[in-house]
PDB file of all heavy atoms in Angstrom:
ATOM      1  N   ALA A 263      24.479  15.093   4.722  1.00 97.00           N
ATOM      2  CA  ALA A 263      23.298  14.241   4.841  1.00 97.00           C
ATOM      3  C   ALA A 263      23.633  12.850   5.338  1.00 97.00           C
ATOM      4  O   ALA A 263      22.889  12.257   6.138  1.00 97.00           O
ATOM      5  CB  ALA A 263      22.584  14.166   3.492  1.00 97.00           C
ATOM      6  N   GLU A 264      24.766  12.287   4.878  1.00 96.00           N
ATOM      7  CA  GLU A 264      25.106  10.914   5.262  1.00 96.00           C
ATOM      8  C   GLU A 264      25.512  10.802   6.725  1.00 96.00           C
ATOM      9  O   GLU A 264      25.627   9.689   7.246  1.00 96.00           O
ATOM     10  CB  GLU A 264      26.209  10.372   4.343  1.00 96.00           C
ATOM     11  CG  GLU A 264      27.582  10.994   4.534  1.00 96.00           C
ATOM     12  CD  GLU A 264      27.786  12.270   3.725  1.00 96.00           C
ATOM     13  OE1 GLU A 264      26.786  12.779   3.150  1.00 96.00           O
ATOM     14  OE2 GLU A 264      28.929  12.751   3.673  1.00 96.00           O
ATOM     15  N   GLU A 265      25.732  11.928   7.385  1.00 95.00           N
ATOM     16  CA  GLU A 265      26.188  11.897   8.785  1.00 95.00           C
ATOM     17  C   GLU A 265      25.070  12.199   9.777  1.00 95.00           C
ATOM     18  O   GLU A 265      25.326  12.310  10.972  1.00 95.00           O
ATOM     19  CB  GLU A 265      27.340  12.885   8.973  1.00 95.00           C
ATOM     20  CG  GLU A 265      28.591  12.499   8.188  1.00 95.00           C
ATOM     21  CD  GLU A 265      29.747  13.468   8.422  1.00 95.00           C
ATOM     22  OE1 GLU A 265      29.518  14.511   9.052  1.00 95.00           O
ATOM     23  OE2 GLU A 265      30.869  13.160   7.977  1.00 95.00           O
ATOM     24  N   VAL A 266      23.829  12.347   9.308  1.00 97.00           N
ATOM     25  CA  VAL A 266      22.720  12.650  10.203  1.00 97.00           C
ATOM     26  C   VAL A 266      21.671  11.549  10.083  1.00 97.00           C
ATOM     27  O   VAL A 266      21.797  10.626   9.278  1.00 97.00           O
ATOM     28  CB  VAL A 266      22.110  14.029   9.869  1.00 97.00           C
ATOM     29  CG1 VAL A 266      23.166  15.128   9.950  1.00 97.00           C
ATOM     30  CG2 VAL A 266      21.442  14.036   8.490  1.00 97.00           C
ATOM     31  N   ALA A 267      20.633  11.662  10.893  1.00 97.00           N
ATOM     32  CA  ALA A 267      19.559  10.665  10.859  1.00 97.00           C
ATOM     33  C   ALA A 267      18.852  10.690   9.507  1.00 97.00           C
ATOM     34  O   ALA A 267      18.547  11.753   8.963  1.00 97.00           O
ATOM     35  CB  ALA A 267      18.558  10.948  11.975  1.00 97.00           C
ATOM     36  N   HIS A 268      18.609   9.507   8.947  1.00 98.00           N
ATOM     37  CA  HIS A 268      17.893   9.433   7.681  1.00 98.00           C
ATOM     38  C   HIS A 268      17.280   8.054   7.517  1.00 98.00           C
ATOM     39  O   HIS A 268      17.695   7.077   8.161  1.00 98.00           O
ATOM     40  CB  HIS A 268      18.821   9.736   6.505  1.00 98.00           C
ATOM     41  CG  HIS A 268      19.935   8.739   6.319  1.00 98.00           C
ATOM     42  ND1 HIS A 268      19.780   7.552   5.632  1.00 98.00           N
ATOM     43  CD2 HIS A 268      21.228   8.758   6.734  1.00 98.00           C
ATOM     44  CE1 HIS A 268      20.918   6.873   5.632  1.00 98.00           C
ATOM     45  NE2 HIS A 268      21.826   7.587   6.302  1.00 98.00           N
ATOM     46  N   THR A 269      16.268   7.961   6.671  1.00 97.00           N
ATOM     47  CA  THR A 269      15.652   6.666   6.365  1.00 97.00           C
ATOM     48  C   THR A 269      15.860   6.302   4.903  1.00 97.00           C
ATOM     49  O   THR A 269      15.179   5.417   4.380  1.00 97.00           O
ATOM     50  CB  THR A 269      14.146   6.694   6.675  1.00 97.00           C
ATOM     51  OG1 THR A 269      13.538   7.766   5.952  1.00 97.00           O
ATOM     52  CG2 THR A 269      13.907   6.882   8.172  1.00 97.00           C
ATOM     53  N   GLY A 270      16.779   6.982   4.251  1.00 97.00           N
ATOM     54  CA  GLY A 270      17.094   6.687   2.871  1.00 97.00           C
ATOM     55  C   GLY A 270      18.254   5.719   2.741  1.00 97.00           C
ATOM     56  O   GLY A 270      18.604   4.993   3.683  1.00 97.00           O
ATOM     57  N   THR A 271      18.874   5.722   1.581  1.00 97.00           N
ATOM     58  CA  THR A 271      19.995   4.832   1.283  1.00 97.00           C
ATOM     59  C   THR A 271      21.245   5.660   1.065  1.00 97.00           C
ATOM     60  O   THR A 271      21.268   6.541   0.197  1.00 97.00           O
ATOM     61  CB  THR A 271      19.718   4.004   0.012  1.00 97.00           C
ATOM     62  OG1 THR A 271      18.517   3.254   0.200  1.00 97.00           O
ATOM     63  CG2 THR A 271      20.876   3.074  -0.300  1.00 97.00           C
ATOM     64  N   LYS A 272      22.265   5.396   1.867  1.00 97.00           N
ATOM     65  CA  LYS A 272      23.530   6.106   1.690  1.00 97.00           C
ATOM     66  C   LYS A 272      24.206   5.599   0.434  1.00 97.00           C
ATOM     67  O   LYS A 272      24.293   4.397   0.195  1.00 97.00           O
ATOM     68  CB  LYS A 272      24.460   5.894   2.887  1.00 97.00           C
ATOM     69  CG  LYS A 272      25.743   6.716   2.791  1.00 97.00           C
ATOM     70  CD  LYS A 272      26.568   6.610   4.061  1.00 97.00           C
ATOM     71  CE  LYS A 272      27.352   5.323   4.133  1.00 97.00           C
ATOM     72  NZ  LYS A 272      28.484   5.324   3.167  1.00 97.00           N
ATOM     73  N   ILE A 273      24.664   6.533  -0.405  1.00 97.00           N
ATOM     74  CA  ILE A 273      25.411   6.167  -1.612  1.00 97.00           C
ATOM     75  C   ILE A 273      26.861   6.620  -1.454  1.00 97.00           C
ATOM     76  O   ILE A 273      27.157   7.608  -0.804  1.00 97.00           O
ATOM     77  CB  ILE A 273      24.780   6.774  -2.878  1.00 97.00           C
ATOM     78  CG1 ILE A 273      24.787   8.310  -2.843  1.00 97.00           C
ATOM     79  CG2 ILE A 273      23.371   6.241  -3.073  1.00 97.00           C
ATOM     80  CD1 ILE A 273      24.356   8.949  -4.147  1.00 97.00           C
ATOM     81  N   GLY A 274      27.776   5.842  -2.055  1.00 94.00           N
ATOM     82  CA  GLY A 274      29.193   6.147  -1.949  1.00 94.00           C
ATOM     83  C   GLY A 274      29.803   5.441  -0.750  1.00 94.00           C
ATOM     84  O   GLY A 274      29.162   4.619  -0.095  1.00 94.00           O
ATOM     85  N   PRO A 275      31.077   5.748  -0.472  1.00 92.00           N
ATOM     86  CA  PRO A 275      31.920   6.704  -1.193  1.00 92.00           C
ATOM     87  C   PRO A 275      32.399   6.156  -2.548  1.00 92.00           C
ATOM     88  O   PRO A 275      32.603   4.969  -2.692  1.00 92.00           O
ATOM     89  CB  PRO A 275      33.102   6.917  -0.256  1.00 92.00           C
ATOM     90  CG  PRO A 275      33.184   5.647   0.526  1.00 92.00           C
ATOM     91  CD  PRO A 275      31.782   5.142   0.670  1.00 92.00           C
ATOM     92  N   ASP A 276      32.547   7.072  -3.507  1.00 92.00           N
ATOM     93  CA  ASP A 276      32.987   6.705  -4.851  1.00 92.00           C
ATOM     94  C   ASP A 276      33.571   7.954  -5.504  1.00 92.00           C
ATOM     95  O   ASP A 276      32.994   9.042  -5.401  1.00 92.00           O
ATOM     96  CB  ASP A 276      31.791   6.193  -5.665  1.00 92.00           C
ATOM     97  CG  ASP A 276      32.197   5.576  -6.994  1.00 92.00           C
ATOM     98  OD1 ASP A 276      33.375   5.715  -7.374  1.00 92.00           O
ATOM     99  OD2 ASP A 276      31.337   4.970  -7.652  1.00 92.00           O
ATOM    100  N   ARG A 277      34.727   7.794  -6.178  1.00 93.00           N
ATOM    101  CA  ARG A 277      35.347   8.943  -6.825  1.00 93.00           C
ATOM    102  C   ARG A 277      35.471   8.759  -8.330  1.00 93.00           C
ATOM    103  O   ARG A 277      36.156   9.543  -8.984  1.00 93.00           O
ATOM    104  CB  ARG A 277      36.732   9.205  -6.216  1.00 93.00           C
ATOM    105  CG  ARG A 277      36.684   9.404  -4.718  1.00 93.00           C
ATOM    106  CD  ARG A 277      38.018   9.866  -4.159  1.00 93.00           C
ATOM    107  NE  ARG A 277      38.072   9.662  -2.725  1.00 93.00           N
ATOM    108  CZ  ARG A 277      39.090  10.007  -1.953  1.00 93.00           C
ATOM    109  NH1 ARG A 277      40.158  10.580  -2.484  1.00 93.00           N
ATOM    110  NH2 ARG A 277      39.060   9.774  -0.647  1.00 93.00           N
ATOM    111  N   TYR A 278      34.829   7.752  -8.886  1.00 91.00           N
ATOM    112  CA  TYR A 278      34.909   7.537 -10.327  1.00 91.00           C
ATOM    113  C   TYR A 278      33.957   8.481 -11.049  1.00 91.00           C
ATOM    114  O   TYR A 278      32.754   8.502 -10.775  1.00 91.00           O
ATOM    115  CB  TYR A 278      34.602   6.079 -10.675  1.00 91.00           C
ATOM    116  CG  TYR A 278      35.728   5.144 -10.320  1.00 91.00           C
ATOM    117  CD1 TYR A 278      35.599   4.240  -9.279  1.00 91.00           C
ATOM    118  CD2 TYR A 278      36.940   5.194 -11.009  1.00 91.00           C
ATOM    119  CE1 TYR A 278      36.645   3.388  -8.947  1.00 91.00           C
ATOM    120  CE2 TYR A 278      37.974   4.350 -10.682  1.00 91.00           C
ATOM    121  CZ  TYR A 278      37.835   3.452  -9.650  1.00 91.00           C
ATOM    122  OH  TYR A 278      38.868   2.614  -9.317  1.00 91.00           O
ATOM    123  N   TYR A 279      34.495   9.235 -11.981  1.00 92.00           N
ATOM    124  CA  TYR A 279      33.727  10.218 -12.736  1.00 92.00           C
ATOM    125  C   TYR A 279      32.505   9.580 -13.377  1.00 92.00           C
ATOM    126  O   TYR A 279      32.571   8.482 -13.931  1.00 92.00           O
ATOM    127  CB  TYR A 279      34.626  10.818 -13.818  1.00 92.00           C
ATOM    128  CG  TYR A 279      33.937  11.754 -14.779  1.00 92.00           C
ATOM    129  CD1 TYR A 279      33.464  12.988 -14.352  1.00 92.00           C
ATOM    130  CD2 TYR A 279      33.763  11.406 -16.110  1.00 92.00           C
ATOM    131  CE1 TYR A 279      32.841  13.861 -15.233  1.00 92.00           C
ATOM    132  CE2 TYR A 279      33.145  12.275 -17.003  1.00 92.00           C
ATOM    133  CZ  TYR A 279      32.676  13.492 -16.555  1.00 92.00           C
ATOM    134  OH  TYR A 279      32.066  14.350 -17.424  1.00 92.00           O
ATOM    135  N   GLY A 280      31.375  10.284 -13.300  1.00 92.00           N
ATOM    136  CA  GLY A 280      30.158   9.815 -13.915  1.00 92.00           C
ATOM    137  C   GLY A 280      29.218   9.104 -12.970  1.00 92.00           C
ATOM    138  O   GLY A 280      28.129   8.689 -13.382  1.00 92.00           O
TER     139      GLY A 280
END
Side-chain angles (χ1 to χ4, degrees):
E264 70 274 10
E265 295 182 351
V266 303
H268 64 84
T269 56
T271 302
K272 185 173 79 72
I273 62 172
D276 189 350
R277 304 189 197 182
Y278 286 110
Y279 174 68

